[in-house]
Amino acid sequence: MFQSTRIMTQKKLGRNDPCWCGSGRKYKSCHQAFDEKIEAFARQGHVVPRRKLIKTEKDIEGIRKSAVINIAVLDEIADKIRAGMTTQEIDDIVTRVTAQMGGIPADLGFEGYPKSVCTSINDQVCHGIPSDKIILKDGDIINVDCSTILNGYYSDSSRMFCIGDVRPEWRRLVEVTKECVDKGLEQVRPWHFLGDMGEAVHKHALAHGYSVVQEIGGHGCGNEFHEDPFVSYVSIAGTEMLMVPGMVFTIEPMVNMGTDEIYVDEDNGWTVYTADGKASAQWEVEVLVTDDGYEILSY
């Protein structure tokens, strides 16, 4: 998936050199101790983040401002979504609100994707393409996955919506998937590992009889749409990349009622379905690792 380079391969700085983070401070009084702590983990054989993945204060502020738009778009959808509306109407809301607030839909044109948002219904795992021919029905569950660019900074999050009278087992799937995200968040702590978060997500899903998609996961985000690391939700505690303050990534498990096997629509090349036709759910948050835990940037 993604390749991660240990920080020891990067340019060494002198104690009195300007810090790599752009703060204007000397390296010795800014990030030297931070880098040395990361290097110690690397020497133990752990995967550690490159400096490129560690966001500066300027970056973080830019991502927060982008997230204001992303959250507002999803809030507007939450207010308007209903049985009888088309998924193209959802796409229209995303396009309109994003533009009104000065942003750009990150999905539109990304690797050829044709719309401004992903709308994935029932057994669609992700990347459902909005259409004026797809009408939401009473009993549907739908994931709306929205991403925004503002001044070059990216935000990314998604929410599930239950349309009308949803069968109890589907509604429970939606609820447990949200709980999976919350369980993952509890494990987001600096100087711990992404595998801690992934194992917590996976265990909670399994405890309720569900499976978690393996091939598709979360990702770093902020200065680019999709950055390192690849974020797995079937990982093992103590493994995967070290989490350090300044890292930004998404927690977005795709939880299936049945098998974790999936397939891609051959006609559009985008939409992913469960192999057994059973329902799937996903929530997504964009998270910043802080000095003492985490901050949810977009939800």
Side-chain angles (χ1 to χ4, degrees), residues 3-286:
Q3 296 296 319
S4 300
T5 303
R6 286 175 171 45
I7 202 165
M8 291 185 296
T9 64
Q10 299 171 132
K11 179 183 177 182
K12 289 288 187 180
L13 295 177
R15 288 170 49 80
N16 292 315
D17 289 339
C19 188
W20 55 261
C21 73
S23 66
R25 298 167 61 194
K26 291 181 179 180
Y27 182 51
K28 64 183 179 182
S29 59
C30 195
H31 272 89
Q32 182 175 353
F34 177 88
D35 282 356
E36 289 172 350
K37 190 169 184 177
I38 292 176
E39 288 171 359
F41 278 93
R43 286 194 295 271
Q44 295 170 22
H46 295 292
V47 178
V48 301
R50 305 187 308 272
R51 289 173 185 158
K52 181 180 179 182
L53 301 185
I54 300 167
K55 305 299 185 285
T56 66
E57 286 301 320
K58 178 183 177 182
D59 295 333
I60 293 165
E61 186 57 30
I63 298 166
R64 286 194 185 110
K65 290 177 179 178
S66 175
V68 167
I69 300 176
N70 214 62
I71 294 166
V73 170
L74 287 169
D75 285 348
E76 181 74 3
I77 291 166
D79 183 61
K80 298 291 193 299
I81 198 166
R82 71 194 190 298
M85 78 184 303
T86 67
T87 52
Q88 180 58 49
E89 290 178 84
I90 296 173
D91 192 82
D92 293 341
I93 290 171
V94 173
T95 302
R96 173 177 56 81
V97 176
T98 303
Q100 287 174 347
M101 297 183 71
I104 300 169
D107 286 349
L108 186 61
F110 178 73
E111 296 184 353
Y113 186 76
K115 296 290 182 175
S116 296
V117 69
C118 296
T119 50
S120 305
I121 303 171
N122 300 340
D123 65 332
Q124 294 178 339
V125 175
C126 60
H127 303 160
I129 301 176
S131 169
D132 57 11
K133 296 180 175 62
I134 300 174
I135 301 172
L136 294 180
K137 303 184 300 296
D138 185 74
D140 283 341
I141 59 173
I142 179 173
N143 176 267
V144 180
D145 190 344
C146 183
S147 308
T148 302
I149 310 169
L150 179 68
N151 299 325
Y153 292 104
Y154 291 77
S155 52
D156 188 8
S157 54
S158 79
R159 301 181 197 174
M160 291 296 299
F161 298 99
C162 293
I163 308 301
D165 186 18
V166 172
R167 65 188 77 175
E169 60 268 30
W170 282 18
R171 191 174 290 274
R172 184 61 181 148
L173 172 68
V174 171
E175 293 169 352
V176 170
T177 304
K178 179 62 168 63
E179 292 170 6
C180 284
V181 173
D182 294 337
K183 291 291 184 182
L185 283 168
E186 291 174 3
Q187 300 301 317
V188 178
R189 293 171 289 176
W191 314 112
H192 291 252
F193 299 94
L194 283 173
D196 303 351
M197 180 276 299
E199 182 176 281
V201 169
H202 197 203
K203 280 186 172 179
H204 193 70
L206 291 177
H208 288 83
Y210 303 139
S211 66
V212 179
V213 172
Q214 299 186 40
E215 297 94 328
I216 309 172
H219 52 90
C221 189
N223 294 335
E224 299 175 18
F225 193 176
H226 288 177
E227 303 173 357
D228 285 359
F230 173 76
V231 182
S232 170
Y233 310 108
V234 294
S235 47
I236 299 171
T239 69
E240 307 293 325
M241 185 176 283
L242 178 72
M243 293 183 285
V244 303
M247 279 180 62
V248 176
F249 57 88
T250 64
I251 301 179
E252 50 175 317
M254 301 169 196
V255 181
N256 297 349
M257 286 195 72
T259 180
D260 61 359
E261 295 181 1
I262 56 176
Y263 71 92
V264 179
D265 188 310
E266 292 182 356
D267 292 329
N268 65 39
W270 279 100
T271 307
V272 178
Y273 290 84
T274 59
D276 57 10
K278 294 184 178 180
S280 181
Q282 177 193 21
W283 295 81
E284 177 183 11
V285 294
E286 184 176 15

